[in-house]
Structure formats: structure tokens, C-alpha cells
Amino acid sequence: MTTPSVRPARRPDAAATPTAPASVATGRATGKAILIGEHAVVYGRPAIALPLAALAVQATATRTEGPSRIRSALFSGRLDAVPARLLPTAKAITATLDALGHPHLGVDLQIQSEIPAERGVGSSAAVAAAVVRAVAALVGATLSGDEEHALIQQAERVAHTAPSGLDSHAVRARGPLWFGNGVVEPVAVGRPLSLIVADTGVAGRTREAVAGVAERRRTDPAVVDAAIDRLGALTDDARTLLAAGDLDGLGAVMTRAHELLGGLGVGDPALDRLVAAATRAGALGAKLTGGGRGGCALILVRDLDHAADVAGSLRAAGAAATWTTTVEATP
Ligand code: PMV
């Protein structure tokens, strides 16, 4: 069981932008949580995501004469022998080297990540982002945000067949992001937010959850489309409530979104237990975050003192780990 780490939100480090090739270079990114809009975003509705400064990943790229290698908690060995789980990471390396005109450069890539994998908090996109940044810095290239995004998406397409792109943006963001209608933009925040991410300990199954919603939509289009519309409308409401600093209203919208997502078949008893425990402990709102069917719950609380109380209740209710993060009000 992990002790909750309470850290104020901070700005993730910008991509390294050296002016000359280096022999060693690093890249960083953070995890992310979807505040609202998951699944509906797959059907063109908006979503709001936020970076999780408490969960960071660093990639360190070193030039090597031999074949490229990866060193991580999951696997250490040659790039051409990575297990399936690391294929997206391998893709991030090769796609970046190819795009920057160094397809044959030998790279030793070390990954140090605090982000739990397969929990809906952006591990795959964050690792890809850190890798893209480290490899680009190693060869002395400065990538634009769009170029970074395109390379991360190449890795994300290996991880999840048709990623919406939300994660690729959120793991590099400095604050909450609105994502919809082809627009990605910062969201106004009227009052600081204190949030807990609580891990069920059950691996999330995003790909199956997305496929499950698609299947339900084929068999029951009216019901599923109504839920997707409602989630879209709740995301619009959440944006207004965030800007107004109405945390009670925002919490109520989050809990309603959790119920709708359960109705779409992407819930899980372990998630429901955490949402119920958070509600009993006085949380303003709670919902699953990310693909669902396991993974993490996101809980809005009044402040950091309240977060400590609620996190204790969540762990007593079976959370495998909790992380607390804050979102600053925008000027
Ligand atoms: O489980 P995650 O963190 O990869 O989030 C998936 C979010 C979905 O809306 C379900 C899918 C997507 O591609 O946006």
C-alpha cells in the first residue's frame, strides 16, 4: 500500500531543447487524469483532462555503439527483443529517430516512471512523450508541440488501436485542457482544485472497454447515444462550473458521469466501492477516470486536509494506492 504523496501541482518540465547533439539527454512528462468526457470523446464529444504532477516519468537517452536497448522496471534488453507491453515505447524511439533522420543511431534508453501502467492515468502516452523528448534532445533537435504530438500518437496507436489523442496532449500539459471539435485549449479554473487519484489495483482494460461501448452502440444505439450526449452535456457543464469555481456543482457532475459510464458497461465493482467510500467520506464528487473496467477513480475534495481524510477512507475501502494533486486557479 502506498502512502499518499501530497504535492502541489507544478509545471511539468518543458522538453529539453539543446542546440547541439548530446551524448546523454533526458525527457520528462507526467501522468494524466480525465476529469470528464472519457468514452464520449471517442464519439466526438468534448473531454477535459488534467496533468498529474504527482506522477512523473523521466527517460534518459545515451548514445551507444551497440544495438539500441531499453532499461526499465518491466524489461531490460535489446530494442528488437522487447515484450509486447513495451512495443509502444520501442515505436516512440524508432519513430523519433526516423523522423529526425537518424534511423541507425544506437540509443540506450533508461525509463524511470512513477506512473502505474494500465490504470487509465496515461502511462503509455507519458512514457512515449518522455522518450520522444529524450531522443530528440539527444540528436539536438527541437520539436514543435505538433511534431511531438504526432510522434507520441504513433506510439499510442501501437498501444490502443485508435487513440483519441487526449492522452498525448494531457501528459504534456501545464493545466486542465479542453479537448473537442478538433480544438485543444486550456480551461479556466476559478478556484483551486484538490483531487485524489485512487487505484483499484485492478488493471484497466481500455481497449476492451472502448470495444464494449461500440458493441452496445450497435445493439442499442438509442440508449448509448443518449448516454453519450448526456456525457457531452455534462462536460460542457463542468467547464462552466470550473470557470465559476463551483466545486460542489463540479463534484455532482463528476458523480453523475460515473453513473452514466457504469450504464455504458465500463464500470467495475472495485471502482464503485471507491466512489461509494469517497462519497461517504464527504468527497464533493467521484468517478472512474480513463477507460474503466478497473484502473483508477478520480475524487474531488474540499482541500488538502480533506484529501488526507478521504484518502485514508479510500485505502480502508481497498484502494491499492492513492495520490493527491492540486490544480491551481488560472489568473
Ligand atoms: O484508459 P486511458 O487513460 O487510455 O483513457 C482512455 C480514454 C477513452 O476515452 C476511453 C479512449 C480515448 O482514446 O480517448
Side-chain angles (χ1 to χ4, degrees):
M1 191 163 291
T2 303
T3 307
S5 68
V6 179
R7 297 187 203 174
R10 58 179 161 75
R11 294 162 90 84
D13 294 354
T17 53
T19 52
S23 55
V24 183
T26 58
R28 294 182 190 84
T30 70
K32 71 93 203 11
I34 298 179
L35 183 66
I36 191 160
E38 53 273 272
H39 288 288
V41 73
V42 174
Y43 299 95
R45 304 309 185 281
I48 299 172
L50 42 99
L52 292 174
L55 293 176
V57 54
Q58 173 165 306
T60 305
T62 308
R63 286 170 186 262
T64 172
E65 294 302 320
S68 290
R69 301 175 66 83
I70 291 182
R71 285 183 287 139
S72 76
L74 292 176
F75 167 82
S76 289
R78 284 172 61 136
L79 192 63
D80 55 13
V82 296
R85 279 176 75 177
L86 281 174
L87 285 173
T89 308
K91 183 69 178 179
I93 298 171
T94 55
T96 307
L97 288 172
D98 285 351
L100 297 175
H102 297 272
H104 304 298
L105 185 68
V107 177
D108 181 302
L109 208 291
Q110 186 183 10
I111 295 160
Q112 292 160 296
S113 179
E114 301 169 340
I115 309 173
E118 299 177 328
R119 295 295 197 278
V121 286
S123 171
S124 63
V127 170
V131 166
V132 167
R133 288 174 162 180
V135 172
L138 189 71
V139 300
T142 303
L143 295 172
S144 69
D146 285 348
E147 288 166 338
E148 279 188 353
H149 180 73
L151 290 167
I152 299 163
Q153 280 294 87
Q154 286 198 44
E156 283 288 90
R157 276 192 280 277
V158 176
H160 327 277
T161 322
S164 63
L166 180 59
D167 282 19
S168 307
H169 285 289
V171 299
R172 296 175 298 131
R174 295 183 163 84
L177 282 185
W178 174 265
F179 185 87
N181 288 333
V183 175
V184 182
E185 59 188 9
V187 172
V189 180
R191 269 175 63 190
L193 308 181
S194 297
L195 294 151
I196 303 169
V197 177
D199 184 0
T200 59
V202 178
R205 286 172 286 148
T206 300
R207 186 191 286 255
E208 287 169 39
V210 170
V213 173
E215 181 54 32
R216 268 181 194 234
R217 193 159 175 260
R218 266 190 295 277
T219 54
D220 206 354
V223 168
V224 171
D225 283 344
I228 288 169
D229 280 344
R230 189 75 196 106
L231 284 164
L234 286 176
T235 303
D236 286 331
D237 292 348
R239 184 179 200 168
T240 306
L241 293 161
L242 258 177
D246 182 347
L247 303 189
D248 288 299
L250 179 63
V253 160
M254 289 171 65
T255 304
R256 179 71 189 120
H258 180 74
E259 291 159 6
L260 285 164
L261 288 163
L264 286 177
V266 300
D268 179 85
L271 284 165
D272 289 343
R273 269 196 297 282
L274 295 185
V275 168
T279 306
R280 276 197 305 277
L284 304 178
K287 61 182 279 293
L288 68 85
T289 185
R293 295 203 177 176
C296 290
L298 181 67
I299 295 115
L300 180 65
V301 293
R302 281 194 299 277
D303 51 34
L304 289 179
D305 286 342
H306 190 205
D309 287 351
V310 177
S313 301
L314 287 162
R315 289 195 302 279
T322 60
W323 300 270
T324 300
T325 196
T326 56
V327 176
E328 291 166 22
T330 47

